[in-house]
Amino acid sequence: MSMLKALSFVFVLLCFEIHETMAADGNSSFSFDGFAKSPSLDKHVALSGDSKLVSDGSSIQLTDSVSGSVGGVVYTKPIKLLQGKESRNSLSFSSYFSFSMPNEVGDVMAFVMVPSGLDLGLFGKKDNSSSALEFLFEYAKNETVAAFEFDISKRGNRARVLVGKPESSEIRNLSFEGDLLMDSGGRLNCMVEYEASSKIVMVRFRKPGSVKLLDPFFSFSVDLGELWNGGEFVVGLSSANGNSSNAHLLHSWRFEIRQPTPVWTHSLPLEPNQAIEADVSTEGEEGVERNECIWRMLGVWVLGAVCGALGVTLALYLWTICSLRRSMAVVVPEECHVKGFSVAVGGGIEEGKK
């Protein structure tokens, strides 16, 4: 009986943990393949600066076709990576977005994570800089942020990383190789991955139709679980065109919270500030998705094993009870009277009285 109670407790605890993880994933993840009007878009997506919906909501135009234009888009629902009181419970995330941005000097785009209490209207604040992060230095000097911006031109691919308080943090300048120049109206895909186990943010790019795994890439180290002391943050994209007077478009955007991948499963370098051109086939892309599936399958397998053990234990328990009841049953003998004898069924034979 005690074993049955113990297994029941383990089953309930496991279900609770799985439910909590799934609830966290569902509450913090989003996906927009286009930006047509919807309750989710109206409730959780905020446009700022010069950004606006275009082409019947199929895209968001972040900058106008005038020089010095700045715009942004923010997913306003807070995200929390740290679960529980210990940093080892920090979750990982992946974010994917497709955009169009001319290959000219001055055209930049940024991926920004800021505290949930920050005035989100700051994303569209204009300044005299051509940086998509300049609004943080002007209006959020003392806020703790994690952000990067990148520009792609014939001069090369460059990135700038900002982690900490803009007023006291130093910008880290990176460069990465690879042919990412886009034709007029062409698109580029970007994937941002944060691994909580290694505390690394990796940024990769891919042209549509490419068979390679979103390369080239750059990476930098940051502990997002501790950056805001376990607090919540919001994520957004900011864009600026400097003196180019080009329009920047966002076509799709997805953000997924997931369990961290163990360090030993990483096949790519984890050194921060490393910029290389990866030559990975589509098998690598499938490997990333496979790691996520393994964790989900493991959870389902454990849940199935617990349910099976509970079922077997319950069956044994009921069988034992039934066996005890049968052994305790009382047999009442019946007598059969024959002339001169009395025969007891289940007993001996007695001589009857004459």
mmCIF file of all heavy atoms in Angstrom, residues 265-316:
data_model
loop_
_atom_site.group_PDB
_atom_site.id
_atom_site.type_symbol
_atom_site.label_atom_id
_atom_site.label_comp_id
_atom_site.label_asym_id
_atom_site.label_seq_id
_atom_site.Cartn_x
_atom_site.Cartn_y
_atom_site.Cartn_z
ATOM 1 N N THR A 265 26.480 18.362 -25.944
ATOM 2 C CA THR A 265 25.854 18.146 -27.249
ATOM 3 C C THR A 265 26.237 19.211 -28.259
ATOM 4 O O THR A 265 25.890 19.103 -29.421
ATOM 5 C CB THR A 265 24.317 18.131 -27.131
ATOM 6 O OG1 THR A 265 23.874 19.409 -26.653
ATOM 7 C CG2 THR A 265 23.867 17.048 -26.177
ATOM 8 N N HIS A 266 26.950 20.290 -27.824
ATOM 9 C CA HIS A 266 27.307 21.352 -28.752
ATOM 10 C C HIS A 266 28.358 20.867 -29.740
ATOM 11 O O HIS A 266 29.367 20.279 -29.357
ATOM 12 C CB HIS A 266 27.859 22.570 -27.989
ATOM 13 C CG HIS A 266 26.802 23.316 -27.239
ATOM 14 N ND1 HIS A 266 25.920 24.168 -27.861
ATOM 15 C CD2 HIS A 266 26.478 23.316 -25.926
ATOM 16 C CE1 HIS A 266 25.101 24.674 -26.946
ATOM 17 N NE2 HIS A 266 25.421 24.176 -25.778
ATOM 18 N N SER A 267 28.113 21.117 -31.003
ATOM 19 C CA SER A 267 29.063 20.744 -32.039
ATOM 20 C C SER A 267 29.779 21.953 -32.606
ATOM 21 O O SER A 267 30.680 21.818 -33.411
ATOM 22 C CB SER A 267 28.353 20.002 -33.171
ATOM 23 O OG SER A 267 27.351 20.815 -33.739
ATOM 24 N N LEU A 268 29.373 23.167 -32.202
ATOM 25 C CA LEU A 268 29.984 24.383 -32.709
ATOM 26 C C LEU A 268 30.774 25.059 -31.596
ATOM 27 O O LEU A 268 30.481 24.880 -30.420
ATOM 28 C CB LEU A 268 28.905 25.350 -33.228
ATOM 29 C CG LEU A 268 28.142 24.831 -34.439
ATOM 30 C CD1 LEU A 268 26.992 25.779 -34.750
ATOM 31 C CD2 LEU A 268 29.044 24.706 -35.645
ATOM 32 N N PRO A 269 31.794 25.866 -31.921
ATOM 33 C CA PRO A 269 32.618 26.508 -30.912
ATOM 34 C C PRO A 269 31.787 27.392 -30.007
ATOM 35 O O PRO A 269 30.845 28.049 -30.443
ATOM 36 C CB PRO A 269 33.607 27.343 -31.739
ATOM 37 C CG PRO A 269 33.618 26.701 -33.084
ATOM 38 C CD PRO A 269 32.239 26.161 -33.286
ATOM 39 N N LEU A 270 32.180 27.454 -28.730
ATOM 40 C CA LEU A 270 31.458 28.260 -27.756
ATOM 41 C C LEU A 270 32.290 29.431 -27.272
ATOM 42 O O LEU A 270 31.932 30.085 -26.311
ATOM 43 C CB LEU A 270 31.068 27.381 -26.554
ATOM 44 C CG LEU A 270 30.106 26.245 -26.880
ATOM 45 C CD1 LEU A 270 29.801 25.463 -25.610
ATOM 46 C CD2 LEU A 270 28.835 26.764 -27.499
ATOM 47 N N GLU A 271 33.422 29.694 -27.902
ATOM 48 C CA GLU A 271 34.237 30.815 -27.470
ATOM 49 C C GLU A 271 33.570 32.124 -27.864
ATOM 50 O O GLU A 271 33.196 32.321 -29.011
ATOM 51 C CB GLU A 271 35.632 30.756 -28.142
ATOM 52 C CG GLU A 271 36.465 29.586 -27.665
ATOM 53 C CD GLU A 271 36.797 29.711 -26.199
ATOM 54 O OE1 GLU A 271 36.951 30.842 -25.720
ATOM 55 O OE2 GLU A 271 36.892 28.674 -25.520
ATOM 56 N N PRO A 272 33.397 33.084 -26.932
ATOM 57 C CA PRO A 272 32.785 34.362 -27.265
ATOM 58 C C PRO A 272 33.654 35.145 -28.234
ATOM 59 O O PRO A 272 34.875 35.004 -28.270
ATOM 60 C CB PRO A 272 32.671 35.057 -25.899
ATOM 61 C CG PRO A 272 33.698 34.394 -25.053
ATOM 62 C CD PRO A 272 33.774 32.983 -25.532
ATOM 63 N N ASN A 273 32.989 36.021 -28.991
ATOM 64 C CA ASN A 273 33.638 36.910 -29.947
ATOM 65 C C ASN A 273 34.278 36.165 -31.112
ATOM 66 O O ASN A 273 35.053 36.726 -31.868
ATOM 67 C CB ASN A 273 34.716 37.767 -29.277
ATOM 68 C CG ASN A 273 34.151 38.598 -28.164
ATOM 69 O OD1 ASN A 273 32.972 38.910 -28.154
ATOM 70 N ND2 ASN A 273 34.996 38.966 -27.213
ATOM 71 N N GLN A 274 33.987 34.892 -31.239
ATOM 72 C CA GLN A 274 34.570 34.125 -32.332
ATOM 73 C C GLN A 274 33.730 34.301 -33.575
ATOM 74 O O GLN A 274 32.529 34.155 -33.554
ATOM 75 C CB GLN A 274 34.658 32.646 -31.965
ATOM 76 C CG GLN A 274 35.385 31.808 -33.004
ATOM 77 C CD GLN A 274 35.615 30.401 -32.512
ATOM 78 O OE1 GLN A 274 35.074 30.010 -31.496
ATOM 79 N NE2 GLN A 274 36.404 29.645 -33.237
ATOM 80 N N ALA A 275 34.365 34.623 -34.696
ATOM 81 C CA ALA A 275 33.648 34.830 -35.958
ATOM 82 C C ALA A 275 34.246 33.923 -37.015
ATOM 83 O O ALA A 275 35.397 34.071 -37.407
ATOM 84 C CB ALA A 275 33.779 36.292 -36.402
ATOM 85 N N ILE A 276 33.485 32.958 -37.458
ATOM 86 C CA ILE A 276 33.947 32.025 -38.477
ATOM 87 C C ILE A 276 32.828 31.776 -39.452
ATOM 88 O O ILE A 276 31.677 32.083 -39.185
ATOM 89 C CB ILE A 276 34.420 30.687 -37.861
ATOM 90 C CG1 ILE A 276 33.208 29.974 -37.235
ATOM 91 C CG2 ILE A 276 35.515 30.881 -36.860
ATOM 92 C CD1 ILE A 276 33.533 28.582 -36.757
ATOM 93 N N GLU A 277 33.169 31.173 -40.573
ATOM 94 C CA GLU A 277 32.156 30.782 -41.541
ATOM 95 C C GLU A 277 31.960 29.288 -41.425
ATOM 96 O O GLU A 277 32.858 28.508 -41.674
ATOM 97 C CB GLU A 277 32.589 31.145 -42.957
ATOM 98 C CG GLU A 277 31.538 30.754 -43.982
ATOM 99 C CD GLU A 277 31.921 31.178 -45.375
ATOM 100 O OE1 GLU A 277 32.989 31.797 -45.518
ATOM 101 O OE2 GLU A 277 31.168 30.890 -46.299
ATOM 102 N N ALA A 278 30.791 28.889 -41.001
ATOM 103 C CA ALA A 278 30.512 27.470 -40.799
ATOM 104 C C ALA A 278 30.107 26.841 -42.112
ATOM 105 O O ALA A 278 29.352 27.412 -42.880
ATOM 106 C CB ALA A 278 29.397 27.285 -39.770
ATOM 107 N N ASP A 279 30.619 25.648 -42.350
ATOM 108 C CA ASP A 279 30.248 24.898 -43.540
ATOM 109 C C ASP A 279 29.500 23.655 -43.077
ATOM 110 O O ASP A 279 30.034 22.560 -43.041
ATOM 111 C CB ASP A 279 31.498 24.512 -44.326
ATOM 112 C CG ASP A 279 31.147 23.866 -45.654
ATOM 113 O OD1 ASP A 279 29.981 23.936 -46.047
ATOM 114 O OD2 ASP A 279 32.057 23.293 -46.288
ATOM 115 N N VAL A 280 28.245 23.854 -42.711
ATOM 116 C CA VAL A 280 27.428 22.798 -42.145
ATOM 117 C C VAL A 280 26.299 22.497 -43.105
ATOM 118 O O VAL A 280 25.672 23.403 -43.634
ATOM 119 C CB VAL A 280 26.855 23.229 -40.777
ATOM 120 C CG1 VAL A 280 26.118 22.064 -40.128
ATOM 121 C CG2 VAL A 280 27.965 23.716 -39.873
ATOM 122 N N SER A 281 26.023 21.233 -43.335
ATOM 123 C CA SER A 281 24.957 20.848 -44.243
ATOM 124 C C SER A 281 23.622 20.906 -43.545
ATOM 125 O O SER A 281 23.528 21.235 -42.368
ATOM 126 C CB SER A 281 25.217 19.429 -44.768
ATOM 127 O OG SER A 281 25.091 18.510 -43.709
ATOM 128 N N THR A 282 22.562 20.574 -44.254
ATOM 129 C CA THR A 282 21.230 20.608 -43.667
ATOM 130 C C THR A 282 21.081 19.598 -42.553
ATOM 131 O O THR A 282 20.151 19.688 -41.758
ATOM 132 C CB THR A 282 20.176 20.317 -44.746
ATOM 133 O OG1 THR A 282 20.535 19.110 -45.433
ATOM 134 C CG2 THR A 282 20.101 21.460 -45.737
ATOM 135 N N GLU A 283 21.995 18.622 -42.467
ATOM 136 C CA GLU A 283 21.935 17.671 -41.366
ATOM 137 C C GLU A 283 22.144 18.380 -40.046
ATOM 138 O O GLU A 283 21.608 17.972 -39.021
ATOM 139 C CB GLU A 283 23.001 16.592 -41.557
ATOM 140 C CG GLU A 283 22.746 15.703 -42.763
ATOM 141 C CD GLU A 283 23.834 14.659 -42.925
ATOM 142 O OE1 GLU A 283 24.760 14.657 -42.097
ATOM 143 O OE2 GLU A 283 23.732 13.868 -43.865
ATOM 144 N N GLY A 284 22.917 19.465 -40.042
ATOM 145 C CA GLY A 284 23.124 20.220 -38.814
ATOM 146 C C GLY A 284 21.850 20.864 -38.348
ATOM 147 O O GLY A 284 21.551 20.904 -37.159
ATOM 148 N N GLU A 285 21.059 21.404 -39.293
ATOM 149 C CA GLU A 285 19.803 22.041 -38.920
ATOM 150 C C GLU A 285 18.846 21.030 -38.321
ATOM 151 O O GLU A 285 18.136 21.300 -37.360
ATOM 152 C CB GLU A 285 19.187 22.711 -40.143
ATOM 153 C CG GLU A 285 17.964 23.543 -39.803
ATOM 154 C CD GLU A 285 17.500 24.360 -40.984
ATOM 155 O OE1 GLU A 285 18.024 24.147 -42.089
ATOM 156 O OE2 GLU A 285 16.631 25.209 -40.792
ATOM 157 N N GLU A 286 18.856 19.820 -38.901
ATOM 158 C CA GLU A 286 18.004 18.777 -38.355
ATOM 159 C C GLU A 286 18.476 18.363 -36.967
ATOM 160 O O GLU A 286 17.689 18.000 -36.106
ATOM 161 C CB GLU A 286 18.010 17.563 -39.285
ATOM 162 C CG GLU A 286 17.374 17.855 -40.645
ATOM 163 C CD GLU A 286 17.540 16.675 -41.596
ATOM 164 O OE1 GLU A 286 18.215 15.700 -41.199
ATOM 165 O OE2 GLU A 286 17.013 16.753 -42.710
ATOM 166 N N GLY A 287 19.813 18.452 -36.736
ATOM 167 C CA GLY A 287 20.350 18.088 -35.429
ATOM 168 C C GLY A 287 19.874 19.012 -34.343
ATOM 169 O O GLY A 287 19.618 18.592 -33.210
ATOM 170 N N VAL A 288 19.747 20.309 -34.660
ATOM 171 C CA VAL A 288 19.254 21.257 -33.662
ATOM 172 C C VAL A 288 17.839 20.909 -33.250
ATOM 173 O O VAL A 288 17.486 20.900 -32.070
ATOM 174 C CB VAL A 288 19.301 22.698 -34.236
ATOM 175 C CG1 VAL A 288 18.662 23.668 -33.257
ATOM 176 C CG2 VAL A 288 20.741 23.100 -34.513
ATOM 177 N N GLU A 289 16.989 20.608 -34.243
ATOM 178 C CA GLU A 289 15.619 20.241 -33.933
ATOM 179 C C GLU A 289 15.557 18.891 -33.228
ATOM 180 O O GLU A 289 14.704 18.657 -32.379
ATOM 181 C CB GLU A 289 14.796 20.187 -35.216
ATOM 182 C CG GLU A 289 14.713 21.543 -35.930
ATOM 183 C CD GLU A 289 13.942 21.436 -37.220
ATOM 184 O OE1 GLU A 289 13.583 20.293 -37.608
ATOM 185 O OE2 GLU A 289 13.695 22.468 -37.859
ATOM 186 N N ARG A 290 16.519 17.973 -33.589
ATOM 187 C CA ARG A 290 16.510 16.646 -32.988
ATOM 188 C C ARG A 290 16.789 16.713 -31.485
ATOM 189 O O ARG A 290 16.213 15.976 -30.694
ATOM 190 C CB ARG A 290 17.546 15.764 -33.678
ATOM 191 C CG ARG A 290 17.434 14.288 -33.310
ATOM 192 C CD ARG A 290 18.479 13.468 -34.020
ATOM 193 N NE ARG A 290 18.392 13.627 -35.470
ATOM 194 C CZ ARG A 290 19.360 14.155 -36.196
ATOM 195 N NH1 ARG A 290 20.465 14.563 -35.637
ATOM 196 N NH2 ARG A 290 19.213 14.273 -37.511
ATOM 197 N N ASN A 291 17.696 17.631 -31.078
ATOM 198 C CA ASN A 291 18.001 17.764 -29.657
ATOM 199 C C ASN A 291 16.765 18.148 -28.856
ATOM 200 O O ASN A 291 16.534 17.663 -27.748
ATOM 201 C CB ASN A 291 19.093 18.817 -29.455
ATOM 202 C CG ASN A 291 20.460 18.316 -29.879
ATOM 203 O OD1 ASN A 291 20.710 17.119 -29.845
ATOM 204 N ND2 ASN A 291 21.332 19.232 -30.274
ATOM 205 N N GLU A 292 15.951 19.056 -29.434
ATOM 206 C CA GLU A 292 14.732 19.458 -28.751
ATOM 207 C C GLU A 292 13.747 18.296 -28.664
ATOM 208 O O GLU A 292 13.084 18.100 -27.644
ATOM 209 C CB GLU A 292 14.089 20.642 -29.489
ATOM 210 C CG GLU A 292 14.992 21.874 -29.554
ATOM 211 C CD GLU A 292 14.356 22.996 -30.346
ATOM 212 O OE1 GLU A 292 13.155 22.879 -30.661
ATOM 213 O OE2 GLU A 292 15.043 23.986 -30.641
ATOM 214 N N CYS A 293 13.670 17.506 -29.736
ATOM 215 C CA CYS A 293 12.733 16.383 -29.741
ATOM 216 C C CYS A 293 13.142 15.314 -28.731
ATOM 217 O O CYS A 293 12.290 14.665 -28.130
ATOM 218 C CB CYS A 293 12.667 15.767 -31.141
ATOM 219 S SG CYS A 293 11.908 16.838 -32.381
ATOM 220 N N ILE A 294 14.465 15.120 -28.537
ATOM 221 C CA ILE A 294 14.931 14.099 -27.607
ATOM 222 C C ILE A 294 14.433 14.385 -26.205
ATOM 223 O O ILE A 294 13.975 13.490 -25.487
ATOM 224 C CB ILE A 294 16.475 14.022 -27.636
ATOM 225 C CG1 ILE A 294 16.938 13.403 -28.954
ATOM 226 C CG2 ILE A 294 17.002 13.215 -26.448
ATOM 227 C CD1 ILE A 294 18.438 13.386 -29.143
ATOM 228 N N TRP A 295 14.496 15.658 -25.800
ATOM 229 C CA TRP A 295 14.035 16.009 -24.454
ATOM 230 C C TRP A 295 12.532 15.794 -24.312
ATOM 231 O O TRP A 295 12.053 15.335 -23.274
ATOM 232 C CB TRP A 295 14.396 17.470 -24.142
ATOM 233 C CG TRP A 295 15.858 17.645 -23.887
ATOM 234 C CD1 TRP A 295 16.783 18.203 -24.716
ATOM 235 C CD2 TRP A 295 16.578 17.223 -22.722
ATOM 236 N NE1 TRP A 295 18.018 18.168 -24.152
ATOM 237 C CE2 TRP A 295 17.930 17.570 -22.924
ATOM 238 C CE3 TRP A 295 16.214 16.584 -21.535
ATOM 239 C CZ2 TRP A 295 18.914 17.313 -21.975
ATOM 240 C CZ3 TRP A 295 17.203 16.327 -20.586
ATOM 241 C CH2 TRP A 295 18.534 16.689 -20.809
ATOM 242 N N ARG A 296 11.776 16.130 -25.360
ATOM 243 C CA ARG A 296 10.333 15.922 -25.295
ATOM 244 C C ARG A 296 10.012 14.424 -25.234
ATOM 245 O O ARG A 296 9.134 13.991 -24.477
ATOM 246 C CB ARG A 296 9.659 16.545 -26.516
ATOM 247 C CG ARG A 296 9.774 18.079 -26.550
ATOM 248 C CD ARG A 296 8.853 18.653 -27.628
ATOM 249 N NE ARG A 296 8.951 20.099 -27.687
ATOM 250 C CZ ARG A 296 9.698 20.746 -28.565
ATOM 251 N NH1 ARG A 296 10.427 20.071 -29.444
ATOM 252 N NH2 ARG A 296 9.736 22.072 -28.573
ATOM 253 N N MET A 297 10.715 13.625 -26.041
ATOM 254 C CA MET A 297 10.484 12.184 -26.050
ATOM 255 C C MET A 297 10.855 11.555 -24.715
ATOM 256 O O MET A 297 10.184 10.643 -24.227
ATOM 257 C CB MET A 297 11.293 11.540 -27.181
ATOM 258 C CG MET A 297 10.803 11.891 -28.589
ATOM 259 S SD MET A 297 11.890 11.254 -29.868
ATOM 260 C CE MET A 297 11.739 9.496 -29.582
ATOM 261 N N LEU A 298 11.943 12.068 -24.097
ATOM 262 C CA LEU A 298 12.350 11.547 -22.794
ATOM 263 C C LEU A 298 11.282 11.801 -21.750
ATOM 264 O O LEU A 298 10.961 10.926 -20.933
ATOM 265 C CB LEU A 298 13.672 12.189 -22.368
ATOM 266 C CG LEU A 298 14.246 11.726 -21.023
ATOM 267 C CD1 LEU A 298 14.525 10.237 -21.060
ATOM 268 C CD2 LEU A 298 15.515 12.505 -20.691
ATOM 269 N N GLY A 299 10.698 13.003 -21.773
ATOM 270 C CA GLY A 299 9.628 13.316 -20.826
ATOM 271 C C GLY A 299 8.421 12.412 -21.013
ATOM 272 O O GLY A 299 7.837 11.927 -20.040
ATOM 273 N N VAL A 300 8.049 12.182 -22.287
ATOM 274 C CA VAL A 300 6.907 11.307 -22.574
ATOM 275 C C VAL A 300 7.203 9.881 -22.126
ATOM 276 O O VAL A 300 6.347 9.185 -21.571
ATOM 277 C CB VAL A 300 6.570 11.347 -24.081
ATOM 278 C CG1 VAL A 300 5.516 10.312 -24.407
ATOM 279 C CG2 VAL A 300 6.079 12.741 -24.475
ATOM 280 N N TRP A 301 8.453 9.406 -22.346
ATOM 281 C CA TRP A 301 8.831 8.044 -21.962
ATOM 282 C C TRP A 301 8.761 7.868 -20.449
ATOM 283 O O TRP A 301 8.243 6.865 -19.959
ATOM 284 C CB TRP A 301 10.238 7.758 -22.454
ATOM 285 C CG TRP A 301 10.699 6.363 -22.131
ATOM 286 C CD1 TRP A 301 10.470 5.226 -22.829
ATOM 287 C CD2 TRP A 301 11.458 5.977 -20.986
ATOM 288 N NE1 TRP A 301 11.031 4.148 -22.203
ATOM 289 C CE2 TRP A 301 11.657 4.574 -21.058
ATOM 290 C CE3 TRP A 301 12.010 6.668 -19.906
ATOM 291 C CZ2 TRP A 301 12.379 3.877 -20.102
ATOM 292 C CZ3 TRP A 301 12.724 5.970 -18.943
ATOM 293 C CH2 TRP A 301 12.901 4.589 -19.047
ATOM 294 N N VAL A 302 9.286 8.854 -19.704
ATOM 295 C CA VAL A 302 9.248 8.767 -18.239
ATOM 296 C C VAL A 302 7.807 8.759 -17.741
ATOM 297 O O VAL A 302 7.437 7.981 -16.853
ATOM 298 C CB VAL A 302 10.036 9.938 -17.613
ATOM 299 C CG1 VAL A 302 9.839 9.967 -16.097
ATOM 300 C CG2 VAL A 302 11.507 9.817 -17.944
ATOM 301 N N LEU A 303 6.986 9.634 -18.330
ATOM 302 C CA LEU A 303 5.582 9.683 -17.937
ATOM 303 C C LEU A 303 4.895 8.352 -18.221
ATOM 304 O O LEU A 303 4.130 7.828 -17.397
ATOM 305 C CB LEU A 303 4.876 10.817 -18.685
ATOM 306 C CG LEU A 303 3.386 11.018 -18.374
ATOM 307 C CD1 LEU A 303 3.203 11.332 -16.895
ATOM 308 C CD2 LEU A 303 2.807 12.115 -19.242
ATOM 309 N N GLY A 304 5.181 7.750 -19.389
ATOM 310 C CA GLY A 304 4.585 6.456 -19.725
ATOM 311 C C GLY A 304 5.041 5.351 -18.786
ATOM 312 O O GLY A 304 4.256 4.486 -18.385
ATOM 313 N N ALA A 305 6.335 5.381 -18.402
ATOM 314 C CA ALA A 305 6.859 4.363 -17.489
ATOM 315 C C ALA A 305 6.195 4.452 -16.125
ATOM 316 O O ALA A 305 5.840 3.442 -15.511
ATOM 317 C CB ALA A 305 8.371 4.529 -17.355
ATOM 318 N N VAL A 306 6.006 5.687 -15.644
ATOM 319 C CA VAL A 306 5.355 5.873 -14.339
ATOM 320 C C VAL A 306 3.909 5.385 -14.394
ATOM 321 O O VAL A 306 3.420 4.702 -13.482
ATOM 322 C CB VAL A 306 5.434 7.347 -13.908
ATOM 323 C CG1 VAL A 306 4.599 7.573 -12.650
ATOM 324 C CG2 VAL A 306 6.876 7.746 -13.647
ATOM 325 N N CYS A 307 3.207 5.746 -15.477
ATOM 326 C CA CYS A 307 1.809 5.300 -15.617
ATOM 327 C C CYS A 307 1.734 3.773 -15.674
ATOM 328 O O CYS A 307 0.845 3.154 -15.063
ATOM 329 C CB CYS A 307 1.194 5.906 -16.886
ATOM 330 S SG CYS A 307 0.940 7.688 -16.805
ATOM 331 N N GLY A 308 2.671 3.144 -16.404
ATOM 332 C CA GLY A 308 2.672 1.695 -16.484
ATOM 333 C C GLY A 308 2.929 1.040 -15.142
ATOM 334 O O GLY A 308 2.278 0.055 -14.770
ATOM 335 N N ALA A 309 3.889 1.604 -14.378
ATOM 336 C CA ALA A 309 4.189 1.062 -13.049
ATOM 337 C C ALA A 309 2.988 1.188 -12.118
ATOM 338 O O ALA A 309 2.681 0.276 -11.336
ATOM 339 C CB ALA A 309 5.396 1.781 -12.466
ATOM 340 N N LEU A 310 2.306 2.325 -12.207
ATOM 341 C CA LEU A 310 1.103 2.514 -11.387
ATOM 342 C C LEU A 310 0.023 1.499 -11.745
ATOM 343 O O LEU A 310 -0.648 0.940 -10.878
ATOM 344 C CB LEU A 310 0.565 3.939 -11.567
ATOM 345 C CG LEU A 310 1.263 5.038 -10.768
ATOM 346 C CD1 LEU A 310 0.713 6.393 -11.163
ATOM 347 C CD2 LEU A 310 1.075 4.816 -9.273
ATOM 348 N N GLY A 311 -0.140 1.244 -13.062
ATOM 349 C CA GLY A 311 -1.157 0.292 -13.489
ATOM 350 C C GLY A 311 -0.857 -1.114 -12.999
ATOM 351 O O GLY A 311 -1.749 -1.819 -12.504
ATOM 352 N N VAL A 312 0.415 -1.545 -13.112
ATOM 353 C CA VAL A 312 0.803 -2.881 -12.649
ATOM 354 C C VAL A 312 0.628 -3.009 -11.144
ATOM 355 O O VAL A 312 0.115 -4.013 -10.628
ATOM 356 C CB VAL A 312 2.259 -3.175 -13.054
ATOM 357 C CG1 VAL A 312 2.746 -4.474 -12.409
ATOM 358 C CG2 VAL A 312 2.380 -3.261 -14.571
ATOM 359 N N THR A 313 1.047 -1.961 -10.412
ATOM 360 C CA THR A 313 0.917 -1.996 -8.949
ATOM 361 C C THR A 313 -0.540 -2.084 -8.524
ATOM 362 O O THR A 313 -0.899 -2.834 -7.600
ATOM 363 C CB THR A 313 1.566 -0.741 -8.349
ATOM 364 O OG1 THR A 313 2.934 -0.673 -8.769
ATOM 365 C CG2 THR A 313 1.515 -0.786 -6.822
ATOM 366 N N LEU A 314 -1.395 -1.323 -9.192
ATOM 367 C CA LEU A 314 -2.813 -1.346 -8.861
ATOM 368 C C LEU A 314 -3.423 -2.714 -9.154
ATOM 369 O O LEU A 314 -4.225 -3.242 -8.364
ATOM 370 C CB LEU A 314 -3.545 -0.263 -9.663
ATOM 371 C CG LEU A 314 -5.041 -0.120 -9.408
ATOM 372 C CD1 LEU A 314 -5.301 0.216 -7.936
ATOM 373 C CD2 LEU A 314 -5.646 0.943 -10.318
ATOM 374 N N ALA A 315 -3.018 -3.338 -10.271
ATOM 375 C CA ALA A 315 -3.541 -4.661 -10.614
ATOM 376 C C ALA A 315 -3.114 -5.703 -9.590
ATOM 377 O O ALA A 315 -3.915 -6.547 -9.151
ATOM 378 C CB ALA A 315 -3.059 -5.049 -12.012
ATOM 379 N N LEU A 316 -1.839 -5.643 -9.161
ATOM 380 C CA LEU A 316 -1.352 -6.577 -8.144
ATOM 381 C C LEU A 316 -2.069 -6.385 -6.819
ATOM 382 O O LEU A 316 -2.376 -7.342 -6.106
ATOM 383 C CB LEU A 316 0.156 -6.410 -7.966
ATOM 384 C CG LEU A 316 1.034 -6.879 -9.132
ATOM 385 C CD1 LEU A 316 2.487 -6.516 -8.886
ATOM 386 C CD2 LEU A 316 0.888 -8.383 -9.353
#
